[in-house]
Amino acid sequence: MTQGRSPRMTRGRSLCMTRGRSPRMTRGRGAGMTQSGQQRARPSRLLLAAAASAVAAVLGLALVRRRVGQLRTGGTTPRAPRNLRFSRGLATAQLVLRGGLRYAGSAPRLFVAAGENRERLRTDLAMQTADDVTATLGTMKGVMVKLGQMASYVDEGLAPSVRRTLSRLQDSVPPMSPELAAGVIEEELGRRPERLFARWDPEPIAAASIGQVHRAITADGLAVAVKVQYPGIAEMMAADLDNVSLLRRMLRVTAPSQDVDALIDELRERVLEELDYRREAANQQLVHDYYAGHPTISVPPIVPELSARRVVTSELATGARFSEVLGWPQHERDLAGETLYRFVFRSLYEIHAFNGDPHPGNYLFHGDGKVTFLDFGMVKHFTDTDILPLMEMARTLCVAGEPGEFRASLEEAGFLVPGAPLSDEQIVDHLAVFYQLVRANETVTVTGEYASSVVRRFFDVRSPVAQWARIPRSYVILQRINLGLFALLGELKATANWRAIAEEIWPFMLAPPSTPMGAAELPWLAAGPAARSLAQS
């Protein structure tokens, strides 16, 4: 969640796009996807979208009528949790219904329109729907906002105007009133914020899925960011997670071979952990301590005496938002992308922890590759046993080039059913896209098209490998690397020799620095976590 922002940097040169055919990513500087394929696909995509929306609307209306009928015939007043589940399910169904009716009502005009006029109508419809989604989900908060946040940066197929509208969910959802926020602080910390802090800003500087952030000055003059949880959000999120019948059906269609109940249980556990800010404070302090003194990675330290179950206070950080960085010179975007990459994989391999909420609102950028990382509510911790198969998969496929050993490591980790009737080549062909950035020692530009291809492959049920592939519960959140990090790098069009950077980080290689940023890390690496912790104390 964004804490603050700094003045925008001057726009630099624009990124040139090539006309060549590059279905996934581009070697070297610059990337481009052809426009003709998109244009040919638009009519069919439009009709499919309209049909899908209409079907969804009918199903949503049927679901609402069924639930209303159940409530009317029950004979008793439903309990509060059931009421909450119904009301939030109803709001979601109404959102789907409005979208379906919007497209159905415009279908005749879309059918007879041609060329630019059809494209204009399609864009207008998409914008109206995005505005409706943003307003509805923003008001609902909780799990529904998280879904909207992911859609805002994962789906490369959305029009830029639609993505910009949905991106408001990253840090600008409707806030709670100042009085409600003050009440939560008084309940958690024993005093109203006006008495607890030397200065307190009642207007939030950011608001997102489960809480909002206020700026304050402590009694000893420290500028802090105070995140306050929305009252009742725990019940709202529980209601959303209890409305899993549709999600379960969707997962059984898109991932028929998976243990759907285990996946949902893991997601539920990770999401509900976010509600205890004491856990978030511990996660954030752990990561802050580890990266203390790093040349480009910073994490604000926690103020423990001003933190509790529904309030977490940390030092205030300011910086540019992700949307601003997209207008920076490409060199700056490359450095930002390199820092994001180093942070994700150093955290995974060295701290054995992964922040499962990698959306753009959780980063502040300062130029020269310096990034501040925020919001550590959804952190998954891994054991040595969890990490070892991940290292083996990278080593056997990318370094050793041994498809048979790669297959064995997948089976050992639980990603592939042992003895599946598949050739090693089929397995590599299906899964290699996830390792494409690091299979060859060369400079690669990550494109939005590549990021989308990763998402498509993740949900591809037509592949012969899909029915034999599994997602072990321990690694469910880890899959957001595929859905989150690659999407952000694609938006940045970040260019680097990702393989060389990975070799610096892989525990089985620990190669020498391959970039100036890697060289700048050397003093920090030499100090080690123990020395850095001692220096802070």
Side-chain angles (χ1 to χ4, degrees):
M1 181 186 300
T2 301
Q3 292 186 12
R5 58 187 296 178
S6 63
R8 184 169 185 166
M9 293 182 63
T10 303
R11 290 183 179 270
R13 59 179 174 82
S14 60
L15 181 65
C16 296
M17 300 183 72
T18 63
R19 293 182 179 273
R21 296 179 65 186
S22 177
R24 289 178 180 170
M25 67 181 75
T26 299
R27 310 297 180 194
R29 166 62 61 200
M33 57 186 296
T34 59
Q35 300 298 315
S36 58
Q38 289 181 322
Q39 290 169 348
R40 286 194 300 268
R42 278 172 184 162
S44 59
R45 287 169 59 186
L46 177 60
L47 292 175
L48 284 172
S53 298
V55 171
V58 173
L59 291 175
L61 184 58
L63 174 64
V64 171
R65 286 174 174 169
R66 179 182 175 190
R67 293 298 300 273
V68 170
Q70 290 172 343
L71 291 175
R72 286 176 175 171
T73 59
T76 59
T77 302
R79 293 172 299 163
R82 187 177 176 187
N83 272 332
L84 187 58
R85 288 198 303 272
F86 173 72
S87 64
R88 291 177 71 77
L90 176 61
T92 307
Q94 289 173 331
L95 176 63
V96 173
L97 177 61
R98 289 195 300 272
L101 293 176
R102 189 178 298 117
Y103 273 90
S106 302
R109 287 188 297 155
L110 288 167
F111 185 77
V112 300
E116 293 183 1
N117 190 38
R118 173 180 286 183
E119 180 63 20
R120 180 182 58 78
L121 288 172
R122 189 185 72 84
T123 301
D124 287 347
L125 277 172
M127 280 299 298
Q128 293 171 29
T129 301
D131 279 326
D132 194 9
V133 168
T134 302
T136 302
L137 299 191
T139 302
M140 293 177 74
K141 299 182 171 65
V143 174
M144 305 312 296
V145 167
K146 290 187 177 297
L147 294 175
Q149 288 173 342
M150 181 178 288
S152 74
Y153 67 91
V154 166
D155 192 347
E156 184 66 20
L158 295 176
S161 56
V162 174
R163 289 162 67 88
R164 284 194 297 271
T165 299
L166 288 174
S167 70
R168 296 203 304 264
L169 291 171
Q170 292 167 12
D171 51 29
S172 302
V173 304
M176 61 178 154
S177 69
E179 186 59 32
L180 278 177
V184 172
I185 290 176
E186 185 173 16
E187 289 176 13
E188 293 294 323
L189 300 178
R191 285 187 289 171
R192 292 186 62 81
E194 298 85 355
R195 302 185 60 186
L196 192 63
F197 298 96
R199 290 180 58 188
W200 167 258
D201 186 352
E203 295 299 320
I205 56 177
S209 56
I210 67 172
Q212 64 190 41
V213 179
H214 293 259
R215 184 185 287 109
I217 304 292
T218 65
D220 55 2
L222 180 66
V224 294
V226 185
K227 185 158 75 170
V228 184
Q229 192 174 112
Y230 301 127
I233 193 66
E235 291 79 7
M236 291 181 189
M237 293 184 74
D240 289 339
L241 291 168
D242 284 341
N243 282 330
V244 296
S245 57
L246 178 59
L247 176 60
R248 184 178 285 110
R249 289 195 295 270
M250 289 172 58
L251 284 173
R252 283 178 176 156
V253 171
T254 59
S257 62
Q258 304 299 325
D259 183 348
V260 171
D261 290 330
L263 298 184
I264 291 176
D265 287 345
E266 174 69 10
L267 291 171
R268 177 193 298 273
E269 188 174 321
R270 296 284 82 76
V271 168
L272 293 181
E273 279 180 354
E274 285 194 87
L275 295 171
D276 188 344
Y277 282 177
R278 294 169 298 189
R279 182 185 296 270
E280 176 173 348
N283 288 332
Q284 183 164 328
Q285 192 62 44
L286 170 70
V287 182
H288 164 79
D289 292 345
Y290 185 81
Y291 285 106
H294 192 279
T296 62
I297 296 170
S298 63
V299 177
I302 293 295
V303 183
E305 64 272 20
L306 295 173
S307 300
R309 184 175 63 87
R310 294 188 295 160
V311 178
V312 61
T313 302
S314 62
E315 288 190 14
L316 181 69
T318 60
R321 296 182 180 182
F322 187 79
S323 58
E324 297 175 70
V325 176
L326 297 180
W328 287 7
Q330 186 60 51
H331 172 67
E332 286 288 349
R333 287 151 60 184
D334 292 343
L335 290 174
E338 181 177 345
T339 297
L340 294 178
Y341 188 91
R342 288 180 181 274
F343 175 77
V344 166
F345 289 103
R346 283 209 182 278
S347 298
L348 178 63
Y349 287 120
E350 297 170 14
I351 313 178
H352 290 188
F354 173 70
N355 185 1
D357 199 10
H359 79 76
N362 290 340
Y363 310 123
L364 297 174
F365 299 86
H366 314 283
D368 295 325
K370 296 178 180 178
V371 183
T372 298
F373 294 83
L374 309 170
D375 198 335
F376 292 86
M378 188 184 288
V379 172
K380 170 70 176 180
H381 295 271
F382 297 94
T383 65
D384 291 346
T385 304
D386 294 328
I387 295 295
L388 183 59
L390 302 178
M391 291 192 294
E392 277 299 290
M393 285 185 279
R395 185 190 66 79
T396 54
L397 180 65
C398 302
V399 180
E402 292 289 345
E405 293 183 18
F406 176 62
R407 176 185 190 138
S409 64
L410 288 169
E411 292 177 348
E412 181 182 354
F415 285 102
L416 185 68
V417 174
L422 302 165
S423 68
D424 295 346
E425 289 70 24
Q426 284 178 301
I427 294 168
V428 170
D429 180 67
H430 180 78
L431 297 175
V433 64
F434 303 115
Y435 295 89
Q436 205 66 28
L437 295 184
V438 294
R439 289 194 73 186
N441 197 333
E442 61 186 1
T443 298
V444 175
T445 294
V446 186
T447 67
E449 188 180 5
Y450 167 69
S452 293
S453 75
V454 171
V455 175
R456 289 194 298 271
R457 180 58 57 86
F458 185 78
F459 292 106
D460 182 9
V461 297
R462 297 169 299 175
S463 166
V465 179
Q467 64 177 310
W468 305 103
R470 300 289 185 269
I471 303 176
R473 176 171 175 171
S474 296
Y475 302 115
V476 170
I477 295 299
L478 191 62
Q479 300 309 310
R480 290 195 69 177
I481 288 180
N482 299 329
L483 305 179
L485 175 63
F486 292 161
L488 298 181
L489 295 180
E491 282 205 72
L492 292 169
K493 294 183 172 61
T495 297
N497 186 330
W498 307 104
R499 166 61 177 271
I501 296 171
E503 289 185 359
E504 296 178 40
I505 300 171
W506 282 335
F508 53 85
M509 295 199 73
L510 300 179
S514 63
T515 70
M517 188 181 297
E521 281 186 329
L522 287 177
W524 172 78
L525 287 168
R532 291 194 293 271
S533 297
L534 185 62
Q536 292 182 81
S537 59

